[in-house]
Amino acid sequence: MALIVQKYGGSSVASLDHIRRVAMGIVTTKSKGNKVTVVVSAMSGETDKLLGLAGQVMSNPPGREQDALVSTGEQACAALMAITLESLGHRAKSYLGLQLPLITDQVHTKARIVELQSDILHDDMNDGIIPVIAGFQGVCDNGSITTLGRGGSDTTAVALAASLKADCCEIYTDVDGVYTADPNICPKARHLKKISYQEMLELAGLGAKVLHARSVELAQKYQVPLVVKSSFGGEKHTWIVNEEDVMENSVIKGVTLERNVSKISLIRVPDRPGIAYKILSPLAETSINVDMIIQNASTDGFADFTFTIPTTDLEKAQELVSKIAEEIGALEMLAENNIVKVSAVGIGIKTNPGVAARMFKSLSEENINIEMISTSEYRISCIIEEKYGELAVRAVHKVFGLDDLNHTKDGEHKHE
Ligand code: ADP
Ligand code: ASP
Ligand code: MG
């Protein structure tokens, strides 16, 4: 008998039929003698629909109200799942984040979990009840509802698995595991049986949305056995494990595409100490995550200063930075959101010189211009024009020998 946390993403609960199919799977797991806690996302498309409604009212709605609105998607789905389980003759109870409680900080729309109480769920499971938790949401210390950022239900599931000391956390989604690139963009992507927490964290942080980056971080920290499976059945799956448990270690483990990227440039900024701090500190204070930063060489005491941020924060960032631009006497501020970030990820990068050059060569062969570059021990990232994003993923995937040569025309992968 095991204690299992199962998380079902939006596409797995897209309709009442989907919910019923998922509920039957949950019942099967339970009837094998396991204890099960379920986490659900909103039904597919629901979060976008709610955000769209708010966006019709105003372009940058207050975070508190946006969270109150979008958290209802998960609320409805958790209750529907519990009702469906009851209809199948099993006792079930839905919970919102605030009913556990799952307590977060006050950073609306991208809150982090600070405390999670799960005793009530142990009691339920001991009584034969299946708890169904609305993912993605929590409550902060002033009582307001918060959300954990797009894709955050994965993090709810892993946090619950850690708190419940579950034997395993299963993430059910619309793909049968983690691939070397998004299989919907790169048909020759290879399925991975295992990937290390560290590499998965890099992939997730750089746009591979199959797992929310925070969920991988928590799984590594609390050593939660984490597996990604398809909610539509099949044998394939991917385990996220410690680095020493991954047998084969290629130089590059995967390629990602991050679409939620914009850049802001300040032209002719006075080149003197404290300027970067002055430009970026208001962004840090409002929890806007600045990623790549470039300051070009100074000529005649002036330099251009460019940085990237998530597109979802662009409007707010423009508001803050335009004030600073005026204060420091910059010539002008430019913003661009038709860019994407393509990254190659792998623990082999730090020990293999020439990896970056191969990536740049593959992009140049496709005539793709690189606007910004950043590297770390584990990754190389390039900012390019949005329209070349998918082509770039396929080109970089190929140059590192990741293409699945057994791939057949109809998208089937014959071997792993
Ligand atoms: P859910 O709604 O179940 O949480 P998501 O849409 O958040 O599902 O995540 C699953 C999607 O992640 C897949 O449909 C796929 O397009 C995308 N994806 C991106 N990168 C990868 C990757 N390396 N491996 C597998 N899937 C990936
Ligand atoms: N429903 C939320 C989203 O679409 C959270 C999730 O699915 O994990 O981002
Ligand atoms: Mg997701």
Side-chain angles (χ1 to χ4, degrees):
M1 176 166 131
L3 199 169
I4 303 169
V5 174
Q6 297 189 333
K7 178 259 170 176
Y8 294 92
S11 48
S12 315
V13 290
S15 67
L16 291 180
D17 279 346
H18 285 76
I19 292 179
R20 195 178 154 81
R21 198 169 346 132
V22 164
M24 291 196 296
I26 295 166
V27 166
T28 306
T29 308
K30 186 175 170 246
S31 51
K32 286 181 184 156
N34 301 303
K35 289 182 177 174
V36 193
T37 284
V38 178
V39 176
V40 288
S41 290
M43 294 164 83
S44 173
E46 193 57 29
T47 309
D48 287 335
K49 192 180 106 192
L50 292 166
L51 286 172
L53 285 175
Q56 283 178 41
V57 183
M58 70 185 286
S59 65
N60 202 5
R64 183 182 184 280
E65 302 319 317
Q66 185 172 309
D67 280 348
L69 178 68
V70 291
S71 61
T72 62
E74 270 71 12
Q75 172 167 5
C77 188
L80 280 171
M81 181 64 81
I83 292 168
T84 309
L85 287 164
E86 290 276 349
S87 78
L88 296 173
H90 290 261
R91 287 161 72 207
K93 250 167 118 174
S94 67
Y95 289 96
L96 304 179
L98 60 83
Q99 290 174 303
L100 292 174
L102 184 156
I103 299 168
T104 71
D105 61 18
Q106 293 190 7
V107 184
H108 283 289
T109 75
K110 47 189 165 191
R112 287 169 76 101
I113 301 174
V114 293
E115 199 189 324
L116 170 55
Q117 285 174 27
S118 58
D119 300 350
I120 194 172
L121 306 181
H122 275 300
D123 297 343
D124 282 347
M125 287 187 285
N126 287 336
D127 291 343
I129 297 168
I130 304 170
V132 184
I133 286 75
F136 178 51
Q137 57 175 280
V139 61
C140 62
D141 55 9
N142 68 14
S144 301
I145 293 169
T146 51
T147 61
L148 308 178
R150 296 306 304 265
S153 298
D154 299 333
T155 297
T156 308
V158 174
L160 276 168
S163 172
L164 290 166
K165 301 201 168 35
D167 295 292
C168 149
C169 180
E170 301 177 338
I171 304 289
Y172 287 90
T173 183
D174 59 355
V175 284
D176 53 9
V178 180
Y179 282 74
T180 48
D182 185 339
N184 291 318
I185 293 178
C186 182
K188 289 184 180 167
R190 270 195 294 128
H191 180 267
L192 299 168
K193 284 183 184 161
K194 286 182 186 175
I195 183 169
S196 70
Y197 291 111
Q198 189 57 47
E199 284 174 320
M200 190 63 235
L201 187 56
E202 290 283 341
L203 289 177
L206 292 166
K209 67 180 183 141
V210 62
L211 283 174
H212 194 233
R214 251 322 257 158
S215 72
V216 185
E217 209 178 310
L218 285 180
Q220 179 171 27
K221 184 168 172 194
Y222 295 102
Q223 289 289 294
V224 175
L226 182 61
V227 62
V228 178
K229 296 181 170 186
S230 167
S231 58
F232 308 112
E235 287 301 307
K236 277 191 190 169
H237 54 262
T238 303
W239 281 101
I240 325 298
V241 296
N242 289 313
E243 204 169 303
E244 56 273 21
D245 299 327
V246 184
M247 301 287 272
E248 159 251 357
N249 262 327
S250 37
V251 177
I252 297 295
K253 187 47 73 75
V255 182
T256 60
L257 178 65
E258 173 62 86
R259 298 177 197 270
N260 182 20
V261 186
S262 288
K263 76 177 180 191
I264 292 185
S265 301
L266 292 184
I267 311 300
R268 273 183 79 76
V269 174
D271 188 19
R272 55 167 195 260
I275 286 290
Y277 169 71
K278 198 150 194 179
I279 298 170
L280 299 180
S281 59
L283 301 178
E285 279 158 24
T286 28
S287 296
I288 295 177
N289 189 22
V290 175
D291 183 18
M292 296 187 190
I293 303 170
I294 291 183
Q295 183 176 334
N296 65 353
S298 149
T299 47
D300 60 8
F302 293 91
D304 297 342
F305 189 89
T306 302
F307 57 90
T308 64
I309 47 161
T311 303
T312 36
D313 289 325
L314 180 60
E315 208 164 311
K316 183 89 205 135
Q318 274 178 284
E319 225 173 81
L320 294 166
V321 176
S322 61
K323 287 193 195 118
I324 308 291
E326 212 174 298
E327 265 176 49
I328 59 179
L331 182 66
E332 64 175 324
M333 182 183 85
L334 305 171
E336 206 185 305
N337 64 9
N338 60 344
I339 52 169
V340 291
K341 181 163 77 175
V342 177
S343 307
V345 173
I347 47 176
I349 290 177
K350 59 182 169 191
T351 48
N352 283 274
V355 172
R358 275 168 82 189
M359 176 160 174
F360 303 153
K361 183 163 178 266
S362 72
L363 294 177
S364 79
E365 280 170 359
E366 296 293 345
N367 251 327
I368 299 172
N369 186 41
I370 304 172
E371 296 185 25
M372 290 168 96
I373 298 168
S374 80
T375 60
S376 80
E377 276 186 312
Y378 291 105
R379 61 150 161 138
I380 304 159
S381 299
C382 297
I383 296 286
I384 60 169
E385 229 183 302
E386 185 179 22
K387 65 180 178 192
Y388 297 122
E390 299 195 358
L391 174 64
V393 168
R394 290 190 287 270
V396 176
H397 194 265
K398 185 169 179 207
V399 83
F400 288 118
L402 295 174
D403 279 3
D404 182 354
L405 302 174
N406 293 306
H407 171 268
T408 57
K409 262 194 197 148
D410 58 1
E412 282 295 307
H413 295 258
K414 286 193 291 197
H415 303 289
E416 279 175 23

